[in-house]
């Protein structure tokens, strides 16, 4: 925030008096309500400037990014939220509004467009807010922070104008009031968001992240898995959410890592949605191959808000993160004494001269998870998903980084019963016994079970869906037994 002022002058006072006299004469002669309204609105837009001639005013500028391009300023976001309400209250005063979807699907949240000005009254004083933006500076992408979309975007500001005589009121009471109210508006309007670091049409840009409204319907109630395991995960999440004091007491950053591993279609991505819905958190989905450097990755992390889940899907496919660190460490042991223990602040440049495309390295990802920067903000869950846990570098998934390892496995009978209830609304059926026996031997992912339980035509009912499932399970089992027999024959041949 910055403050400046102008002093009044006698000649300005005389000029204002003249303007007032001319204005009164003109006003009395104006014909027609419409013209009067037009002039009135025009005048109100300049009232602040006129007032300043006789009484100096101060300004406070609030930039969207203070202290560089690291993180959106909380004050800016709070003022933005506060002004959404003030803008609505201002009625016709603001002519160019920006609209965003609100929590209530039919409603819109309105905020001031660029170069719009809105007046606000507080305890008898009047203040004015102006929204404006400036083009990015040429030198606005310091190489240390890696530049990025935020650095290339317009720089946005709010400027508050108020009279000098209201200085104490504004600084001591009005601004804290604005921030408090702004936070309340943010909570009220909060829609959960799904963020991505990929830019594109259909996303709303928000610094380095783009987002859409997060509307995944999956909850733990409809997630099929072993009930005891499910309860354990839900308890773990609850303990995390309520664990602020615990984390502070033991001196740990308030974050928790979950590794979800298992074959395709066992519900890893679905589990992330259920977790987000359970905790009421936002989701940040990082496409690692689109992150150019380790510093960009760190910037993405810093720009996440608390109460969020940060997901990297298919971590084994995302990058060459499987064992590379070991080779690197062997090669550069003296220069870089164990990259995973480095805490981000002084990242070695050689890490970023890695492979083409994305230059994110294992060391960068390790720092991102539990380097010094990872403690910024708190209350974040980091989730990795993979089909091949055995391929991952042990450093990446050790406890402390990925605190909880959750195996998402093939469908068990308990999981099947839940799917049958969800998809067919049946809790018991004469075919359940056959399904139970088959599921003990045949490996079928919940995604495939769910697909078999989905009616395909109006004539499909529970009986036909369950029969279809039994047939499919028998096929899977026959295939498995066939493979087992082939393998046994091969072993016999080898022995001979
Ligand atoms: N445990 C489950 N409970 C309910 N539905 C499930 C479950 N597992 C999978 N499904 C259904 O199957 C579909 C695929 O699941 P999902 O994408 O979560 O699998 P995945 O484990 O992430 O697979 P991949 O390894 O290929 O990414 C989803 O639409 C989901 O509804
Ligand atoms: Mg998945």
């Amino acid at each position: 925030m910055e403050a400046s002022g102008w002093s009044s002058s006698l000649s300005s006072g005389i000029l204002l008096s003249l303007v007032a006299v001319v204005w009164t004469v003109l006003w009395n002669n104006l014909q027609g309500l419409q013209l009067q309204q037009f002039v009135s609105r025009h005048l109100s837009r300049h009232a602040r400037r006129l007032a300043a001639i006789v009484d100096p005013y101060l300004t406070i500028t609030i930039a969207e990014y203070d202290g560089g391009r690291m993180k959106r300023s909380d004050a800016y976001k709070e003022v933005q939220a506060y002004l959404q309400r003030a803008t609505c209250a201002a009625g016709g005063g603001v002519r160019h509004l920006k609209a965003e979807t609100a929590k209530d699907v039919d409603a819109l949240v309105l905020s001031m467009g660029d170069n719009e000005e809105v007046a606000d009254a507080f305890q008898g004083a009047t203040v004015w807010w102006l929204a404006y933006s400036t083009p990015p500076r040429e030198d606005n992408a310091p190489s240390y922070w890696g530049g990025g979309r935020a650095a290339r975007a317009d720089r946005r500001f709010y400027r508050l104008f108020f009279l000098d005589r209201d200085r104490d009121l504004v600084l001591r009471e009005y601004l804290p009031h604005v921030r408090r109210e702004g936070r309340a508006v943010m909570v009220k309007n909060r829609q959960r968001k799904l963020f991505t670091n990929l830019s594109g049409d259909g996303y709303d840009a928000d610094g380095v992240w783009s987002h859409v409204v997060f509307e995944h319907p999956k909850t733990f109630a409809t997630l099929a898995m072993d009930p005891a395991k499910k309860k354990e995960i839900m308890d773990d999440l609850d303990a995390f959410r309520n664990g602020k004091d615990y984390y502070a007491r033991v001196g740990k950053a308030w974050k928790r890592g979950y590794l979800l591993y298992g074959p395709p279609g066992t519900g890893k991505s679905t589990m992330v949605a259920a977790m987000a819905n359970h905790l009421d958190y936002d989701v940040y989905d990082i496409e690692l191959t689109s992150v150019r450097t380790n510093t960009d990755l760190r910037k993405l992390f810093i720009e996440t808000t608390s109460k969020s889940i940060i997901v990297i899907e298919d971590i084994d496919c995302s990058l060459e993160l499987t064992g590379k660190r070991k080779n690197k460490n062997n090669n550069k042991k003296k220069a870089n004494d164990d990259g995973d223990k480095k805490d981000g602040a002084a990242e070695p440049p050689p890490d970023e001269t890695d492979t083409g495309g994305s230059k994110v390295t294992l060391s960068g990802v390790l720092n991102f998870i539990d380097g010094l920067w990872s403690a910024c903000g708190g209350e974040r869950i980091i989730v990795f998903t993979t089909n091949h846990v055995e391929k991952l570098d042990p450093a990446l998934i050790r406890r402390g980084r990925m605190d909880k390892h959750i195996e998402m496995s093939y469908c068990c009978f308990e999981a099947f019963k839940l799917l049958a209830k969800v998809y067919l609304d049946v809790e018991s059926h004469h075919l359940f016994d056959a399904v139970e026996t088959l599921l003990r031997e045949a490996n079928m992912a919940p995604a495939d079970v769910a697909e078999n339980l989905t009616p395909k035509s109006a004539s499909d009912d529970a009986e036909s869906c369950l029969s279809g499932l039994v047939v499919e399970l028998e096929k899977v089992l026959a295939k498995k037994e066939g493979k087992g027999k082939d393998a046994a024959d091969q072993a016999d041949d080898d022995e001979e």
Side-chain angles (χ1 to χ4, degrees), residues 268-270 313-314 385:
K268 297 178 292 298
S269 306
T270 309
E313 291 253 42
D314 301 318
T385 72

Short mmCIF file of all heavy atoms in Angstrom, two decimals, residues 268-270 313-314 385, ligand 2:
data_model
loop_
_atom_site.label_atom_id
_atom_site.label_comp_id
_atom_site.label_asym_id
_atom_site.label_seq_id
_atom_site.Cartn_x
_atom_site.Cartn_y
_atom_site.Cartn_z
N LYS A 268 -8.90 -44.52 -7.89
CA LYS A 268 -7.92 -43.58 -7.32
C LYS A 268 -8.36 -42.12 -7.56
O LYS A 268 -8.40 -41.32 -6.63
CB LYS A 268 -6.53 -43.84 -7.92
CG LYS A 268 -6.01 -45.24 -7.58
CD LYS A 268 -4.68 -45.53 -8.19
CE LYS A 268 -4.73 -45.64 -9.71
NZ LYS A 268 -5.60 -46.75 -10.20
N SER A 269 -8.68 -41.83 -8.81
CA SER A 269 -9.13 -40.45 -9.11
C SER A 269 -10.45 -40.18 -8.39
O SER A 269 -10.69 -39.08 -7.88
CB SER A 269 -9.31 -40.26 -10.61
OG SER A 269 -8.14 -40.62 -11.29
N THR A 270 -11.30 -41.19 -8.36
CA THR A 270 -12.59 -41.04 -7.70
C THR A 270 -12.39 -40.76 -6.21
O THR A 270 -13.12 -39.96 -5.61
CB THR A 270 -13.40 -42.35 -7.88
OG1 THR A 270 -13.40 -42.66 -9.27
CG2 THR A 270 -14.82 -42.19 -7.41
N GLU A 313 -1.52 -36.78 -10.73
CA GLU A 313 -2.01 -38.10 -11.16
C GLU A 313 -0.92 -38.83 -11.93
O GLU A 313 -0.10 -38.20 -12.61
CB GLU A 313 -3.23 -37.91 -12.07
CG GLU A 313 -4.46 -37.39 -11.33
CD GLU A 313 -5.52 -38.45 -11.15
OE1 GLU A 313 -5.18 -39.60 -10.82
OE2 GLU A 313 -6.69 -38.12 -11.35
N ASP A 314 -0.96 -40.13 -11.84
CA ASP A 314 -0.03 -40.99 -12.59
C ASP A 314 1.40 -40.48 -12.48
O ASP A 314 2.05 -40.23 -13.49
CB ASP A 314 -0.46 -41.06 -14.07
CG ASP A 314 -1.86 -41.61 -14.20
OD1 ASP A 314 -2.17 -42.57 -13.48
OD2 ASP A 314 -2.65 -41.08 -15.00
N THR A 385 -1.14 -40.27 -7.43
CA THR A 385 -1.75 -41.54 -7.80
C THR A 385 -0.81 -42.25 -8.78
O THR A 385 -0.08 -41.60 -9.53
CB THR A 385 -3.13 -41.37 -8.49
OG1 THR A 385 -2.95 -40.85 -9.81
CG2 THR A 385 -4.04 -40.47 -7.72
MG1 LIG B 2 -7.17 -42.08 -12.35
#
